[in-house]
Amino acid sequence: VVSSRVRLARNIAGRRFPGRASLRERSEAFELLRGALEGVDRLTGCELVGLEPLSVLERQIMVEQRVASPDLVRAEGARGVISDLSKRISIMVNEEDHARLQCIGSGYCPTDLWAVLDDVDTQLGRQIGFAYDLRRGFLTSCPPVYAHCRKLFQQDYPDTHCQEPGSYYNGAGEQCAVRNRITRNCHTWR
């Protein structure tokens, strides 16, 4: 396994999710998260970078560094990314959810990554009330995955071929082959 990634999706309680929010509501959520992220120990010294003033090239670099998604780059309104200097921990703000937390590491290390991300999530959750349902858990924009924790493992194989380059099968527990890369998605609930 070349790398592992653990992701969490969180939304602010009492606020519309970014896909349904007005530009003003997205801006308010952005500023609320900016203030809360300053109190996360693992992100001390890091800054939430807004995407609006960045050039197309700068945004594309963030996508290639895996700290921003193509959806975040294409979205409108206040949105951004905060990451540590190594790009190991990053949080996308106002993508499909108010906060998409992720931690990436070399090799097969989901337990270690989970411990780091759980700490960030706990500290952030102490400052902001997250959208939560007693029956469903944390509410996200990806139904039916309400308390969403995604673990991703990647391994490169030089001789792996797809019938159509760039095509893949996506879904929980299904293998995806994209340009000689095998990816395994595992979804769990917290």
Side-chain angles (χ1 to χ4, degrees):
V1 174
V2 173
S3 65
S4 300
R5 177 174 69 177
V6 176
R7 293 178 72 188
L8 291 174
R10 297 290 185 254
N11 286 290
I12 303 168
R15 294 188 180 263
R16 288 197 261 184
F17 292 5
R20 297 280 187 179
S22 68
L23 293 178
R24 182 182 56 78
E25 291 169 323
R26 289 172 62 99
S27 181
E28 290 170 357
F30 183 86
E31 292 305 322
L32 183 65
L33 280 162
R34 179 194 304 270
L37 289 166
E38 290 174 1
V40 176
D41 294 339
R42 291 183 187 266
L43 298 174
T44 299
C46 301
E47 183 181 345
L48 178 58
V49 177
L51 294 184
E52 290 177 307
L54 299 181
S55 70
V56 172
L57 178 60
E58 290 170 317
R59 293 177 191 185
Q60 185 60 37
I61 289 170
M62 293 179 92
V63 170
E64 290 177 9
Q65 291 174 329
R66 304 271 191 267
V67 295
S69 71
D71 288 339
L72 181 69
V73 168
R74 285 189 299 266
E76 292 182 1
R79 65 206 185 284
V81 173
I82 186 170
S83 66
D84 62 355
L85 295 176
S86 68
K87 308 287 191 254
R88 182 174 187 228
I89 303 167
S90 63
I91 301 173
M92 293 185 287
V93 176
N94 279 342
E95 191 211 28
E96 290 180 323
D97 295 289
H98 289 124
R100 286 274 174 107
L101 298 79
Q102 75 173 4
C103 191
I104 299 174
S106 298
Y108 181 79
C109 55
T111 304
D112 297 339
L113 298 179
W114 172 250
V116 170
L117 206 57
D118 186 45
D119 181 45
V120 172
D121 180 45
T122 300
Q123 289 183 44
L124 190 57
R126 286 185 186 134
Q127 299 178 61
I128 295 178
F130 290 130
Y132 186 83
D133 180 83
L134 290 174
R135 196 167 47 94
R136 295 181 176 132
F138 292 101
L139 303 178
T140 74
S141 63
C142 301
V145 185
Y146 295 99
H148 180 199
C149 173
R150 178 177 173 202
K151 297 173 188 167
L152 178 74
F153 310 101
Q154 292 184 341
Q155 189 165 3
D156 287 340
Y157 292 99
D159 297 322
T160 304
H161 299 286
C162 296
Q163 289 180 332
E164 296 178 25
S167 67
Y168 60 97
Y169 297 98
N170 196 358
E174 293 182 13
Q175 280 192 339
C176 308
V178 181
R179 291 190 213 124
N180 302 335
R181 177 169 286 161
I182 301 297
T183 304
R184 175 67 90 187
N185 283 309
C186 303
H187 293 271
T188 55
W189 290 266
R190 175 175 172 221

